Amino acid sequence: MDNYVNHYVVVAIFLVLGILLPVVALTVGRLLRPHKPTDPKRSTYESGNEPVGEGQVRFNIRYYMFALMFVIFDVETVFLYPWAVAYNKLGLFVLIEMVIFAGMLLVGLLYAWKKRVLKWN
């Protein structure tokens, strides 16, 4: 029973540290940093130039869709590398799982292609 309670104590300690350390670090940073606000410091900074135009510009949704597709397929390739390195040790079952995984990626790519997400005008 004591060993069982010890696991909860360890989790509680990590939970308290996980909350306490960032709060303490941000508080100490706030206390130690210089605070001398002036009008030039409060103005919007654009590469040393005065800001021109509105701050909220609308972009075409294609930019976001293209970026999202890149992130999805880029992150998925991260999962392929460890599998390829350890392929000899993993066996046939993991090969079948990776074929299913790659098939799902291919279905997603074909869907995006059909919806013309990858077409750049």
Side-chain angles (χ1 to χ4, degrees), residues 78-95:
V78 171
F79 293 117
L80 292 173
Y81 181 73
W83 171 78
V85 170
Y87 172 70
N88 289 336
K89 298 174 188 173
L90 298 175
L92 183 63
F93 178 72
V94 177
L95 174 65

Side-chain angles (χ1 to χ4, degrees), residues 51-68:
V52 179
E54 295 182 25
Q56 297 178 354
V57 180
R58 291 188 175 217
F59 288 101
N60 191 349
I61 190 69
R62 289 205 177 269
Y63 295 120
Y64 298 110
M65 294 296 290
F66 200 81
L68 191 60

